[in-house]
Amino acid sequence: MNIYCKEANGRPLLSAVRIFMALALIVVLLTAAPAAALDLFTLWKQPEIPLRMQEGSWVDYRSQVMAGGRREEGLTRLVCLTRADGSDDKTLLLELLPLQEQKDGTLLPLPGQGAQIRVSRDVLKREGSLLQSIVAVHHWQDGRPQEITPEELRDDPMISTSFTSDFVPDEVSSQQSTTRIVGGHQMTCRQWILASADTQSVVMPAGKMNQISTREIAAAVNEEIPFLGLAYASERVRSVSSLDPPNRKIPVPPARIRVEVMELVGFGFDAVAHLSAGD
């Protein structure tokens, strides 16, 4: 993009309109990639994290997301169904269910909402992409199931926020063990800190705009907990931009910080199917 114009004396001058166009392009390029998010399988590939996808197991998580002065909360149940409910020798059938909390604190799946995801048992090898292990998906909305094709997986909000993250940290450090209370049971958990950093750049006539994004995940795990053993996980993502060389006339996007927390509120090994074609 040519963002120069000339004065009558021939000296180059940056057009204000084109400066704004260039800045808009910078914002688009530096934020085009979807922001990484903490989800149920973010740490799927990490050898430090236990992987236990046992038939009949289930986990309930309360999540919080804090970004841009806003706070969102959610409740999610992940289930690995038994062979009687659909798993077989080659695949595992999972259910991903949004929950609602009753006045007495009981957590119940929202009627007619959720997804069934059939995954290859090769997922236990922690190889390749997590999305590649998905064999079939049916998404329930208002009680009606709809099959989702492989091409549509990334556009489905429930699936894309739970199965697309293959986080690979630059640094992993072990922390002092901690004790957490889950469902009235005291559990001793190993703790890990996993961190990564990424730099993106856009070159413009006024200089090079750099954005450094850091991502740090803290996890408390116990091998008795199904799936990834997560009793607690938190993530802090921070993005900071700078112009090289600095130029007071060119505004730099403000720093962005997002904090996410996942806390285990219950788990067990007596799961039954919640979704069916008759819902």
Side-chain angles (χ1 to χ4, degrees):
M1 178 191 300
N2 178 12
I3 62 173
Y4 282 96
C5 61
K6 292 186 178 180
E7 295 179 335
N9 58 13
R11 291 181 300 175
L13 176 69
L14 280 171
S15 162
V17 174
R18 291 185 176 181
I19 288 178
F20 285 123
M21 290 175 61
L23 291 175
L25 175 61
I26 289 171
V27 172
V28 169
L29 292 177
L30 291 182
T31 61
L38 183 65
D39 61 55
L40 294 167
F41 287 99
T42 294
L43 301 178
W44 164 64
K45 277 196 170 182
Q46 291 308 120
E48 301 84 5
I49 306 300
L51 179 58
R52 185 187 182 192
M53 296 177 68
Q54 180 177 335
E55 294 173 23
S57 61
W58 58 272
V59 287
D60 288 350
Y61 285 98
R62 187 186 302 276
S63 61
Q64 299 180 48
V65 180
M66 291 153 281
R70 300 181 60 184
R71 175 174 174 172
E72 298 179 2
E73 296 186 356
L75 287 162
T76 305
R77 175 172 297 169
L78 178 62
V79 178
C80 182
L81 296 176
T82 64
R83 293 174 186 245
D85 282 326
S87 291
D88 55 39
D89 289 343
K90 294 184 178 181
T91 64
L92 295 167
L93 185 59
L94 310 179
E95 284 192 343
L96 192 61
L97 307 169
L99 304 176
Q100 57 184 353
E101 189 168 9
Q102 307 301 301
K103 291 182 179 180
D104 63 358
T106 303
L107 302 180
L108 296 177
L110 286 169
Q113 309 292 325
Q116 281 189 345
I117 306 101
R118 187 173 296 278
V119 299
S120 168
R121 287 182 181 264
D122 288 343
V123 70
L124 300 174
K125 299 178 182 178
R126 306 193 199 218
E127 297 175 352
S129 166
L130 189 59
L131 272 179
Q132 292 174 349
S133 71
I134 297 179
V135 177
V137 176
H138 288 82
H139 189 183
W140 269 255
Q141 185 71 33
D142 298 325
R144 294 188 296 272
Q146 178 182 359
E147 185 173 3
I148 300 175
T149 66
E151 294 76 20
E152 296 170 330
L153 281 177
R154 291 186 181 275
D155 296 326
D156 184 274
M158 177 169 283
I159 305 303
S160 64
T161 56
S162 298
F163 287 86
T164 59
S165 180
D166 292 334
F167 175 60
V168 179
D170 299 320
E171 298 180 3
V172 178
S173 59
S174 176
Q175 306 294 303
Q176 184 176 1
S177 296
T178 186
T179 299
R180 298 195 66 84
I181 307 296
V182 180
H185 300 287
Q186 182 172 294
M187 310 185 76
T188 300
C189 300
R190 293 180 296 129
Q191 292 197 106
W192 300 91
I193 301 292
L194 307 96
S196 67
D198 178 64
T199 300
Q200 298 183 65
S201 300
V202 176
V203 177
M204 56 185 291
K208 183 167 69 172
M209 185 73 75
N210 300 310
Q211 179 179 272
I212 300 177
S213 298
T214 58
R215 186 181 186 190
E216 183 179 276
I217 298 177
V221 302
N222 183 293
E223 286 78 1
E224 296 180 19
I225 301 170
F227 297 96
L228 297 185
L230 292 174
Y232 174 88
S234 66
E235 176 187 68
R236 186 177 186 270
V237 178
R238 186 171 187 263
S239 298
V240 179
S241 300
S242 62
L243 185 65
D244 184 21
N247 188 332
R248 290 183 299 175
K249 296 182 180 180
I250 306 296
V252 175
R256 295 180 298 162
I257 299 176
R258 188 182 72 248
V259 176
E260 299 190 37
V261 175
M262 279 176 45
E263 183 177 10
L264 182 71
V265 293
F267 70 97
F269 301 90
D270 55 353
V272 295
H274 176 73
L275 300 169
S276 68
D279 282 353

